[in-house]
Amino acid sequence: MSIASATLAKDSAVRASVQRTPAALILIGLAWIIFAVVLLLPLYIVVTQGLQRGLDVFWNAISEPDAISALKLTLLATGISVPLNLVFGVAAAWCVTKFEFRGKSLLITLIDMPFSVSPVVAGLIYVLLFGSQGVFAPFLQAHDLQIVYAVPGIVLATIFVTFPFVARELIPLMEEQGTTEEEAARLLGANGWQMFWHVTLPNVKWALIYGVVLCTARAMGEFGAVSVVSGHIRGMTNTLPLHIEILYNEYNIVAAFSVAILLLAMALVILLLRQWSESRLSRSLVRDDE
Amino acid sequence: MSIEIRGINKHFGNFQALKNIDLHIRSGELVALLGPSGCGKTSLLRIIAGLETPDTGSIVFHGEDVSSHDVRDRNVGFVFQHYALFRHMTVFDNVAFGLRMKPKKQRPSESVIASKVHELLNLVQLDWLADRYPEQLSGGQRQRIALARALAVEPKILLLDEPFGALDAKVRKELRRWLARLHEEVHLTSVFVTHDQEEAMEVADRIVVMNKGVIEQIGTPAEVYEKPASEFVYHFLGDSNRLQLAEDNHLLFRPHEVSLSRSAADEHRAAQVRDIRPLGAITRVTLQVDGQDELIEAEVAKDHGSLAGLVRGETLYFKPKAVLTPSGAVQHV
Ligand SMILES: Nc1ncnc2c1ncn2[C@@H]1O[C@H](COP(=O)(O)OP(=O)(O)OP(=O)(O)O)[C@@H](O)[C@H]1O
Ligand SMILES: [Mg+2]
């Protein structure tokens, strides 16, 4: 720890000396101006627009039944997809980094696919698979199951777009750490589960939390893929981002921005969690380097 | 507990890392696996521990074939080349790990574990480091903690992969004497890997010399030194000179087994002095012989008569006192 704080102190000393040059001052000023115009101004507008008719109107907009149901659906989709992707991500990272097998590089590429495929295409894939004209349509109709334009479709689409976050965070770290600590644990009599729980997991703890935070942020904010499979049924298949869009398209600006404030507040909490886990992660990496 | 290694072969892809390895290690023995880098020492050690599966052959512990036993059922203590301490655990927790992982019925209580851990930390003389993390330890300290951790589960067999490899010469020396003492106290069957012949000679009861995946020779330090089974073993166990006699005939001899003379003497060959190096108790003279590029080194006591006033370029007469004969044994002449 003392080493980490020493490094940090040295960093800020370096930064302080850089700040004094005029060029650096101009660049930093520019960065702040761009930051203000591109990020702070819109945030300011969202907040003032949402609150322009007072807190009562804001409160009504976010507590009306459709908004509540959208919030619930967003939380449900996030609540299902994040734990599933946590399990999947840990399993994938584990098998990619601790074992040698055929098709490994293909698997690593496939894990990344949701990053490279447009979310709209991802949504369409689910419609083509589970829609009324889709591949599984006869089976679904026979069993009276509805996936597309219903909650399961939204959950599936959210899982798809947030697929890589956890695995992506873990793979590089686990690759670097190698397998000798696991081997040492087995030699000392640990079974597979004990080895995972007492050795592997603590070694990747902060990267895991960071991955989960990123995954959560994306799951809450996902628009494209969810939009395609949702069907936009108010009170039924609307998530918060979709609800905002509907309100906005109906020229219900105040309500749209009010709900946006809600989503924004949730994102801020996640952002703070991310900041916290990131700093812990970099600190544990500094310790590993020593 | 004795270890019997029978007909082990191991391939990595197309590369054969181990070829027909047969080795019997008696109970309580301390055996060194000695050989150059890449000759398969680590692979053999990992196969004994069960971390690697051989293509063919079997491993027998005390009469019981353990080839199909999982790593955790072999009860082998293993010290990794780079320690492999659990980085997020304190020294105490590292050493306690093996005891805490035991099935509920066999697991000692926390207080028993604590006293056992402190006993082991005292054994490796590092009890005062119990609350530190591995990253806060020096290399030699990590090494000893890794040893304490391996000993905690009371293995009958201890395998050490270049236990002193990453340490400086002085610490190495201390630690290997300490290991030899410990081996006697705890009475284990131990196998340790090294590529340092001096280390092997100093610590081991028997030395297994390996080269390119095969065992070149098995014997006591005196045997492998005095009766090397091959030129490879002879070279690997110490400095050596090659003296070309004819196109396909040469002699091998050690630098310290050379007789020097300032004047022409019986059976001595003439050579030109290229360098004179005082190395403390001995002095090394480098000689150039007509008819071969390879230089000859001779080491004699620093007050040897032939050295008085010797300068480079002078002619000196030398004769090997003991040579490696083609039949294998070192012959004193
Ligand atoms: N997992 C592996 N995959 C492919 N080749 C391997 C693997 N492990 C070892 N080898 C090869 O097998 C040979 C023997 O390796 P090993 O690690 O046993 O050597 P070593 O005698 O311990 O060498 P060193 O003294 O450098 O540690 C080497 O040529 C190495 O490249
Ligand atoms: Mg090795």
Side-chain angles (χ1 to χ4, degrees):
Chain A
M1 286 312 196
S2 64
I3 293 153
S5 54
T7 319
L8 290 179
K10 207 173 77 188
D11 278 358
S12 54
V14 170
R15 245 177 270 143
S17 70
V18 168
Q19 267 171 13
R20 275 178 221 118
T21 74
L25 279 178
I26 292 171
L27 281 176
I28 290 164
L30 263 178
W32 274 106
I33 290 170
I34 294 172
F35 178 70
V37 172
V38 176
L39 287 171
L40 289 184
L41 191 63
L43 280 183
Y44 173 77
I45 289 174
V46 168
V47 174
T48 50
Q49 289 284 323
L51 296 174
Q52 64 174 327
R53 302 260 176 80
L55 278 176
D56 280 355
V57 179
F58 167 74
W59 182 251
N60 284 341
I62 63 168
S63 60
E64 53 120 354
D66 287 350
I68 294 288
S69 114
L71 173 64
K72 277 187 185 158
L73 184 55
T74 292
L75 291 179
L76 178 73
T78 307
I80 296 176
S81 59
V82 171
L84 281 179
N85 281 343
L86 170 68
V87 172
F88 163 78
V90 171
W94 172 278
C95 87
V96 159
T97 54
K98 310 285 175 182
F99 299 100
E100 288 298 326
F101 55 92
R102 254 168 212 276
K104 184 165 140 172
S105 57
L106 182 70
L107 184 67
I108 297 179
T109 316
L110 284 179
I111 290 173
D112 270 344
M113 202 175 65
F115 275 168
S116 43
V117 170
S118 159
V120 177
V121 177
L124 281 174
I125 293 170
Y126 284 102
V127 174
L128 289 176
L129 282 177
F130 303 116
S132 56
Q133 311 294 321
V135 180
F136 297 116
F139 174 82
L140 294 173
Q141 271 156 18
H143 293 81
D144 202 19
L145 293 171
Q146 179 81 19
I147 290 185
V148 170
Y149 311 130
V151 174
I154 291 171
V155 172
L156 277 178
T158 309
I159 291 175
F160 182 86
V161 292
T162 55
F163 215 48
F165 281 100
V166 174
R168 265 292 129 206
E169 278 304 313
L170 292 185
I171 288 172
L173 184 64
M174 286 168 82
E175 209 136 63
E176 190 207 302
Q177 290 180 343
T179 53
T180 49
E181 280 182 51
E182 274 88 1
E183 285 178 347
R186 284 210 292 153
L187 283 158
L188 290 166
N191 61 32
W193 175 250
Q194 288 173 317
M195 169 180 74
F196 176 73
W197 190 250
H198 294 290
V199 175
T200 310
L201 208 53
N203 277 351
V204 299
K205 189 170 60 183
W206 293 108
L208 188 66
I209 292 173
Y210 184 52
V212 166
V213 166
L214 286 180
C215 187
T216 310
R218 180 69 197 266
M220 289 192 327
E222 174 54 24
F223 180 82
V226 169
S227 175
V228 176
V229 296
S230 147
H232 304 269
I233 308 164
R234 272 201 194 197
M236 299 278 295
T237 62
N238 258 358
T239 61
L240 278 182
L242 300 183
H243 188 58
I244 293 169
E245 197 217 8
I246 291 184
L247 291 171
Y248 185 79
N249 286 345
E250 289 170 349
Y251 302 105
N252 196 347
I253 307 291
V254 174
F257 279 112
S258 297
V259 180
I261 291 176
L262 177 63
L263 198 54
L264 201 65
M266 289 159 66
L268 273 177
V269 171
I270 296 298
L271 203 66
L272 289 177
L273 277 177
R274 182 192 136 156
Q275 188 62 35
W276 173 71
S277 60
E278 201 170 38
S279 66
R280 294 302 298 256
L281 178 63
S282 64
R283 217 174 298 169
S284 73
L285 280 181
V286 168
R287 285 205 300 174
D288 287 352
D289 287 348
E290 294 305 312
Chain B
M1 191 175 266
S2 66
I3 308 171
E4 181 94 44
I5 297 158
R6 292 184 191 146
I8 294 286
N9 281 286
K10 177 70 183 174
H11 284 84
F12 292 108
N14 289 329
F15 177 77
Q16 187 164 9
L18 292 172
K19 294 169 201 158
N20 285 322
I21 300 290
D22 286 297
L23 178 60
H24 179 77
I25 297 166
R26 290 186 284 272
S27 190
E29 232 182 345
L30 176 53
V31 167
L33 294 182
L34 176 67
S37 186
C39 71
K41 306 180 295 289
T42 299
S43 305
L44 182 56
L45 211 61
R46 288 173 61 85
I47 285 174
I48 299 173
L51 290 170
E52 210 90 60
T53 327
D55 305 336
T56 63
S58 54
I59 304 289
V60 177
F61 288 171
H62 203 69
E64 184 188 3
D65 191 331
V66 295
S67 307
S68 58
H69 289 197
D70 186 64
V71 181
R72 49 191 295 256
D73 301 324
R74 294 198 189 187
N75 193 22
V76 163
F78 199 104
V79 178
F80 289 86
Q81 196 164 355
H82 299 290
Y83 326 122
L85 293 176
F86 304 125
R87 70 190 83 195
H88 66 276
M89 289 183 208
T90 61
V91 163
F92 182 95
D93 291 336
N94 263 282
V95 178
F97 187 85
L99 297 170
R100 289 181 175 152
M101 290 305 117
K102 282 187 187 292
K104 263 225 167 64
K105 275 181 226 143
Q106 302 160 29
R107 194 184 309 158
S109 69
E110 262 314 294
S111 61
V112 174
I113 291 179
S115 68
K116 175 100 199 218
V117 169
H118 285 297
E119 187 188 312
L120 281 162
L121 288 177
N122 278 321
L123 181 72
V124 297
Q125 297 153 11
L126 291 176
D127 199 31
W128 52 290
L129 290 176
D131 296 326
R132 297 252 195 117
Y133 283 90
E135 86 221 12
Q136 301 164 318
L137 305 180
S138 75
Q141 290 167 341
R142 286 179 208 186
Q143 190 59 63
R144 282 185 277 169
I145 298 302
L147 196 54
R149 181 179 72 173
L151 293 174
V153 288
E154 296 181 359
K156 297 286 187 303
I157 290 169
L158 184 63
L159 307 175
L160 307 111
D161 193 356
E162 304 211 18
F164 317 120
L167 308 173
D168 70 57
K170 195 154 182 320
V171 181
R172 265 173 105 106
K173 216 164 201 156
E174 253 167 50
L175 270 182
R176 69 194 187 210
R177 295 207 170 127
W178 180 84
L179 173 72
R181 263 205 322 276
L182 181 90
H183 177 84
E184 278 180 11
E185 278 171 29
V186 186
H187 212 71
L188 292 155
T189 307
S190 313
V191 182
F192 82 102
V193 162
T194 177
H195 53 234
D196 179 344
Q197 90 283 352
E198 198 189 313
E199 193 163 288
M201 308 272 285
E202 182 167 339
V203 184
D205 297 326
R206 280 196 304 157
I207 297 177
V208 177
V209 186
M210 293 180 65
N211 184 30
K212 293 183 183 157
V214 299
I215 292 180
E216 293 267 342
Q217 189 174 7
I218 306 171
T220 63
E223 278 166 4
V224 289
Y225 194 80
E226 290 297 329
K227 299 193 188 69
S230 62
E231 284 195 7
F232 173 83
V233 176
Y234 188 81
H235 280 298
F236 204 77
L237 284 173
D239 296 331
S240 61
N241 289 311
R242 175 198 292 265
L243 181 62
Q244 206 71 37
L245 297 177
E247 190 75 2
D248 53 356
N249 188 11
H250 62 260
L251 286 178
L252 292 175
F253 60 97
R254 305 239 182 251
H256 65 269
E257 286 167 335
V258 178
S259 129
L260 291 182
S261 162
R262 287 296 269 279
S263 51
D266 204 22
E267 291 183 332
H268 283 53
R269 289 178 61 131
Q272 200 184 31
V273 176
R274 295 291 295 271
D275 194 23
I276 307 161
R277 291 268 150 205
L279 303 172
I282 57 157
T283 296
R284 180 191 298 150
V285 184
T286 309
L287 302 166
Q288 164 100 64
V289 188
D290 275 347
Q292 79 173 43
D293 291 336
E294 224 172 302
L295 297 173
I296 302 282
E297 284 180 345
E299 288 171 1
V300 290
K302 73 175 193 310
D303 51 2
H304 193 269
S306 64
L307 293 177
L310 189 70
V311 292
R312 283 185 207 184
E314 262 185 67
T315 302
L316 206 56
Y317 299 85
F318 76 95
K319 175 177 161 252
K321 288 192 285 195
V323 299
L324 180 73
T325 58
S327 64
V330 176
Q331 186 188 326
H332 294 264
V333 289

